[in-house]
Amino acid sequence: MTSPVVARMKQKRMADLISLGKRLDERGLTDYREAQIEIGVIEKAEGSARVRLGKTEVLVGIKIGLGEPFSDVPNQGVLTVNAELVPLASPTFEPGPPGEDAIELARVVDRGIRESKAIDLEKLCITPGKKVFIVFIDLYVLNYDGNLIDASALAALAALLNTKVFNYEVKEGEVQIKPGYKSLPIRNYPIAVTFAKINDKLVVDPCLEEEQVMETRLTMTIEKDEKVCALQKSGKGYFRIQQILEAAKIARQKAAELRKLVVKK
Amino acid sequence: MPKKKVKKVVNKENIRHDGRKLSELRPIKLEVGILGNADGSAYIEQGKNKILAGVYGPKEVHPKHLALPDRSRLRCRYHMAPFSVQERKSPAPSRRDIELSKVIREAFEPSVFTEYYPKTSIDIFIEVLQADGGTRCASITAASLALADAGIPLRDLVSACAAGKVDGRIVLDLNDKEDKEGEADLPLAYMSNLNAITLLQMDGMLTSEEFEQAINLALEGCNQIYQLQKEALKAKYVEVKETMNEGADEQ
Amino acid sequence: MPVFYERRQLVTPGDLLADNNYLAGENTFKENGKIYATHTGLVNYENRNIYVMALRSFYAPLVGDTVIGKVVEVILSGWIIDVKAPYLAMLRASDVLERSFRPQIDDLPSMFDVGDIIIAKIVASDRTRGPLLTVREPGLGKITRGQITEITPTKIPRLIGKKGSMITTIKKEVGCQILVGQNGLVLVSGKSPKDERLAIMAIHKIEREAHTSGLTDRVAEMIKTEKHEKTEVRRKDAQEKSQKSG
């Protein structure tokens, strides 16, 4: 990550503005940056989406594979989420195996999808205990300007919604691929909403500058019926309980707004 | 396939499968200063969890480029012994271990006066010897004692406890079975005196009422654990206090 | 103006010690007008100053302390010394040479080399760099004989005792020299390794039992018994030998 020392001047200016209910880029405390979603951007992937949240840009590609189920859930397909903070996205990203930030990003996005049961994994079972579909979700960060979690979760959901699973038949225990596709069975729409705590106030969708001065961060993932399905506090500071309950209220509103951008009914 | 009869984890009388009430902690045993080489150490047993925490520092950072100019670098390694779970776990750190190491470290950042010792490191090592659900919380409870034992200045002890939802009810301190079969798990770390939540995670599904209820229950659990932590620290020194008072009389 | 604990009461980190109107002393901090403990220890007040005597702490360098340390690195213009503090200490070549250092002619390893133990005094220390040492005083410099042992720095006052009573007792009873570094390292040098071992035994007994009363007498007692037993054994051995040969 960038130099841990942030200019005091910048810190003060941002804190002063926030205590007035304003932000450097003139957003309100609970406003998201403009979100743009493109789907089907990678033809070779079974599903894909590219999300721009302000200057933050994440590409998600979904591949469908065949494999064995986990022994404790033999009748369910497998979901795996991986994140790459590729070096072209920021001068602070370095090549190499995923660091703790990438792993946390992937696991928080994974938790939202898994816990809301967004994918009907039982429908991805081919032969119980032997063959199931594996859904590989790869989060590819292309430009880093803060709030990777929300952008990635949004892109992952958009990509899942346009993911196709190939048709198949089982002949003598062998899975054979047939022409044609079906949609991936999706039954929930988790949306991640991230708050930064700056000067003891909460702001949603922190940009990079705000992330650099924030004390700490909280991500709440909200599913379609407004239940909380994943939480992650991240960063050095702390929250008071009132702040968390307040965040939960705001998160429900924001999740509903963002969901409309992805789920077209 | 014949459908297996689902055995409830919590029965009609609101008694859990291990005999606990809904808002009851597992038995907790804490010991402070049990390792020879570490600057500070502690051991926790919480139900079947058995966890060791050791702290080294503040000391010069290696490698040197990791030194922070304005504060001490906290580092944390959460690690599970291969024999700590039913099926042998590879000793290589998993993605879960890496994430937990990060959030545990961040749970201690508000507690430690890192600004007192710029350019040094404080290393927290956590070894889960046996795991039975809620290990991240038990690890935090123990590691906080290890930090205090190392004589590192702290704003407050950090206590941690999970609440969750099992068989439709909000319960405290989930064990492995409840975590796996339950509907939600919400681990939380808390500095009681300063009213600060330093770790908060959740997986599962909770309505807004359940969510608020779970947070409050977890906080209650933390407060109970906080008292146990204080007792454990004092137990080691209670003799000291008595005899030092005697010493003062002599003088 | 409430105070929440009595004098010498045991507290743990985070305990609320006092409201406003008090000054936050050692091992405490003030937040929103309230004073809390940062360490496990005993509370005490002096006028409006409230502080905690920590029961466990690591060595925090203080200007004027005499410390014992090990040379761990010879650098261009001096030595890096490990004094068991959060920071490595530095001894400048100019301090030893008593003039400015000339790299062409001055050979630092011939003065102090890696692994040498030195006794030194801290002349400067702040939290942004390691402590600076001097050996330019009588009694300071390289240590060439004796043994080093280590105890918790918080127990040093007990080892020294009231007006040096404890340390004098060991020196007298064992018959050896003891130099105490404020950083918890103690140098013991006696006539024989046996004497040194006995003194080290006594020092660790003090560390273990620092909180008990009547310790000085018990230490003296222990040394006497140990010495006596050993001379007895030696005498017996000698007798047996002479009997056999005779």
Side-chain angles (χ1 to χ4, degrees):
Chain A
M1 289 285 130
T2 38
S3 151
V5 183
V6 181
R8 284 177 191 275
M9 214 170 66
K10 193 208 266 181
Q11 252 172 334
K12 189 171 181 309
R13 179 140 174 267
M14 218 174 273
D16 288 348
L17 274 177
I18 282 172
S19 53
L20 296 172
K22 289 180 194 161
R23 293 163 84 169
L24 278 183
D25 54 9
E26 301 188 330
R27 279 187 287 163
L29 299 189
T30 59
D31 290 343
Y32 264 81
R33 291 169 286 181
E34 194 195 344
Q36 291 175 355
I37 303 168
E38 264 179 273
I39 52 173
V41 288
I42 303 292
E43 289 85 354
K44 292 215 168 170
E46 275 76 36
S48 63
R50 179 179 190 145
V51 163
R52 290 189 182 84
L53 199 54
K55 284 190 204 130
T56 287
E57 205 173 323
V58 179
L59 173 66
V60 169
I62 296 180
K63 295 296 291 176
I64 303 288
L66 288 172
E68 277 180 32
F70 289 113
S71 56
D72 51 343
V73 277
N75 61 338
Q76 289 187 9
V78 173
L79 163 69
T80 86
V81 182
N82 179 55
E84 295 287 334
L85 305 182
V86 288
L88 63 80
S90 164
T92 60
F93 292 171
E94 281 169 18
E100 57 174 28
D101 291 312
I103 288 173
E104 184 181 40
L105 170 62
R107 286 180 57 87
V108 174
V109 171
D110 178 296
R111 215 169 289 159
I113 296 169
R114 194 179 299 277
E115 298 300 331
S116 68
K117 302 187 169 63
I119 307 171
D120 192 346
L121 291 175
E122 285 178 17
K123 289 205 177 126
L124 297 182
C125 175
I126 300 167
T127 318
K130 292 213 174 97
K131 267 281 184 287
V132 296
F133 283 113
I134 304 179
V135 182
F136 295 95
I137 302 181
D138 279 284
L139 314 174
Y140 224 65
V141 176
L142 300 181
N143 198 56
Y144 173 43
D145 190 31
N147 200 12
L148 291 179
I149 295 180
D150 294 4
S152 305
L154 201 61
L157 180 58
L160 281 172
L161 286 169
N162 79 36
T163 298
K164 304 273 183 284
V165 185
F166 42 82
N167 287 329
Y168 68 94
E169 60 182 355
V170 184
K171 262 188 192 161
E172 292 153 12
E174 290 292 306
V175 179
Q176 291 188 339
I177 294 167
K178 293 203 305 184
Y181 292 95
K182 275 206 289 273
S183 294
L184 191 68
I186 300 295
R187 53 182 187 185
N188 205 337
Y189 314 107
I191 299 284
V193 179
T194 296
F195 298 84
K197 182 181 153 195
I198 302 174
N199 203 24
D200 215 28
K201 282 240 163 63
L202 299 177
V203 303
V204 300
D205 182 28
C207 65
L208 182 57
E209 278 185 317
E210 289 169 331
E211 283 190 354
Q212 283 169 340
V213 305
M214 72 182 175
E215 293 136 54
T216 187
R217 185 174 79 186
L218 179 69
T219 300
M220 285 195 162
T221 308
I222 309 286
E223 53 88 75
K224 65 177 183 355
D225 297 325
E226 298 210 318
K227 286 183 184 154
V228 187
C229 62
L231 278 181
Q232 182 87 340
K233 178 249 169 191
S234 176
K236 289 184 300 188
Y238 60 85
F239 287 101
R240 304 197 187 284
I241 178 172
Q242 297 80 2
Q243 290 171 325
I244 287 163
L245 298 178
E246 184 198 332
K249 265 189 213 143
I250 301 169
R252 285 194 180 86
Q253 279 173 26
K254 291 289 132 187
E257 287 173 27
L258 287 174
R259 196 174 291 115
K260 280 184 202 148
L261 301 174
V262 208
V263 187
K264 305 263 157 61
K265 285 198 173 157
Chain B
M1 237 178 19
K3 206 168 180 186
K4 259 192 264 169
K5 198 186 168 204
V6 183
K7 213 177 164 191
K8 288 268 178 173
V9 186
V10 181
N11 72 14
K12 277 184 202 137
E13 287 77 42
N14 285 339
I15 298 297
R16 293 150 78 174
H17 70 105
D18 59 358
R20 280 187 291 157
K21 295 189 204 98
L22 297 182
S23 56
E24 191 178 337
L25 290 169
R26 286 173 280 182
I28 295 176
K29 186 178 126 190
L30 294 168
E31 276 179 79
V32 178
I34 34 106
L35 296 176
N37 281 344
D39 295 323
S41 60
Y43 174 69
I44 184 169
E45 281 184 19
Q46 183 165 2
K48 286 188 194 126
N49 286 323
K50 296 176 199 281
I51 300 167
L52 269 174
V55 167
Y56 285 82
K59 58 185 177 61
E60 302 258 335
V61 191
H62 295 287
K64 263 207 163 89
H65 68 89
L66 290 177
L68 299 173
D70 57 342
R71 59 197 153 89
S72 181
R73 180 181 282 276
L74 263 189
R75 293 189 289 198
C76 175
R77 179 184 191 255
Y78 165 98
H79 184 247
M80 291 174 84
F83 46 76
S84 62
V85 280
Q86 203 62 40
E87 224 165 279
R88 180 179 186 269
K89 187 190 170 294
S90 155
S94 65
R95 286 156 62 92
R96 175 180 176 273
D97 293 347
I98 292 169
E99 187 204 344
L100 290 196
S101 299
K102 177 179 189 283
V103 292
I104 293 172
R105 182 188 79 223
E106 290 170 343
F108 284 115
E109 287 273 5
S111 147
V112 179
F113 280 93
T114 51
E115 59 271 35
Y116 284 7
Y117 308 101
K119 298 185 206 163
T120 65
S121 74
I122 297 171
D123 293 340
I124 303 168
F125 298 108
I126 292 161
E127 286 294 335
V128 178
L129 306 179
Q130 183 166 283
D132 190 41
T135 55
R136 81 196 68 181
C137 290
S139 299
I140 289 171
T141 300
S144 185
L145 293 179
L147 284 163
D149 184 47
I152 290 168
L154 304 176
R155 286 187 179 81
D156 200 352
L157 298 173
V158 182
S159 324
C161 187
K165 186 179 168 191
V166 180
D167 286 335
R169 274 154 291 189
I170 302 298
V171 299
L172 186 64
D173 188 18
L174 287 72
N175 63 21
D176 192 43
K177 187 181 165 70
E178 294 172 322
D179 183 15
K180 286 216 172 83
E181 297 178 20
E183 294 97 86
D185 181 34
L186 181 146
L188 183 151
Y190 187 53
M191 299 198 291
S192 292
N193 269 346
L194 303 178
N195 179 28
I197 294 170
T198 67
L199 173 141
L200 180 63
Q201 294 183 292
M202 192 204 88
D203 47 45
M205 284 220 255
L206 294 175
T207 65
S208 49
E209 296 77 38
E210 288 167 343
F211 174 64
E212 198 170 333
Q213 222 183 321
I215 286 196
N216 282 317
L217 186 58
L219 287 175
E220 228 172 81
C222 289
N223 284 331
Q224 287 180 42
I225 289 171
Y226 186 62
Q227 296 308 323
L228 298 176
Q229 286 175 299
K230 286 163 66 117
E231 278 166 30
L233 277 178
K234 286 180 178 173
K236 200 186 159 193
Y237 296 112
V238 77
E239 210 186 343
V240 181
K241 187 205 153 199
E242 282 162 6
T243 47
M244 274 180 89
N245 280 339
E246 279 172 36
D249 295 342
E250 264 175 41
Q251 286 167 17
Chain C
M1 186 175 27
V3 167
F4 298 97
Y5 291 89
E6 288 170 25
R7 268 205 177 107
R8 290 190 164 269
Q9 216 176 328
L10 188 55
V11 295
T12 54
D15 277 344
L16 177 59
L17 304 180
D19 268 346
N20 232 336
N21 296 319
Y22 274 85
L23 298 171
E26 214 185 331
N27 302 327
T28 70
F29 73 101
K30 199 171 208 173
E31 196 167 287
N32 299 326
K34 288 174 177 162
I35 297 173
Y36 302 87
T38 61
H39 283 76
T40 308
L42 307 179
V43 195
N44 218 342
Y45 314 95
E46 255 164 42
N47 304 320
R48 283 174 53 222
N49 190 30
I50 185 161
Y51 62 96
V52 172
M53 296 180 282
L55 291 172
R56 180 99 183 238
S57 191
F58 45 86
Y59 177 61
L62 272 181
V63 172
D65 277 0
T66 302
V67 295
I68 295 173
K70 195 200 295 170
V71 179
V72 290
E73 199 182 339
V74 183
I75 56 169
L76 193 63
S77 57
W79 299 267
I80 303 292
I81 318 288
D82 179 5
V83 294
K84 298 269 170 190
Y87 303 96
L88 292 170
M90 159 102 165
L91 176 64
R92 290 198 184 123
S94 54
D95 180 85
V96 180
L97 296 163
E98 307 203 11
R99 57 162 168 80
S100 56
F101 168 64
R102 277 180 290 175
Q104 302 89 335
I105 55 164
D106 295 322
D107 177 29
L108 297 189
S110 71
M111 292 176 246
F112 300 125
D113 207 349
V114 171
D116 281 348
I117 302 285
I118 64 163
I119 181 157
K121 203 167 225 178
I122 294 178
V123 286
S125 175
D126 63 38
R127 279 173 175 153
T128 53
R129 57 168 183 185
L132 191 62
L133 303 176
T134 181
V135 290
R136 259 161 100 167
E137 267 179 45
L140 304 182
K142 196 194 292 195
I143 294 168
T144 48
R145 54 183 295 268
Q147 290 187 51
I148 301 282
T149 189
E150 192 184 342
I151 68 170
T152 321
T154 47
K155 306 279 168 75
I156 293 286
R158 195 67 174 123
L159 173 61
I160 292 169
K162 264 176 281 169
K163 291 176 188 158
S165 58
M166 185 71 89
I167 202 86
T168 315
T169 305
I170 312 179
K171 283 183 191 169
K172 205 174 70 196
E173 295 293 336
V174 181
C176 67
Q177 280 300 311
I178 300 176
L179 276 171
V180 181
Q182 292 297 324
N183 58 335
L185 294 188
V186 182
L187 170 73
V188 179
S189 51
K191 287 186 209 87
S192 70
K194 260 184 199 149
D195 287 353
E196 288 170 359
R197 265 204 299 277
L198 183 53
I200 288 172
M201 224 163 108
I203 290 166
H204 286 298
K205 184 181 171 68
I206 295 163
E207 186 189 18
R208 262 195 324 274
E209 301 174 20
H211 49 278
T212 60
S213 48
L215 186 56
T216 317
D217 293 342
R218 285 210 308 286
V219 168
E221 191 69 19
M222 182 203 88
I223 296 172
K224 272 182 192 142
T225 341
E226 285 284 326
K227 264 194 148 172
H228 184 67
E229 272 172 17
K230 272 180 192 145
T231 36
E232 281 288 279
V233 171
R234 236 177 282 148
R235 204 176 293 151
K236 264 185 197 163
D237 284 354
Q239 273 176 4
E240 276 169 24
K241 261 185 201 164
S242 61
Q243 275 168 6
K244 271 178 195 166
S245 60

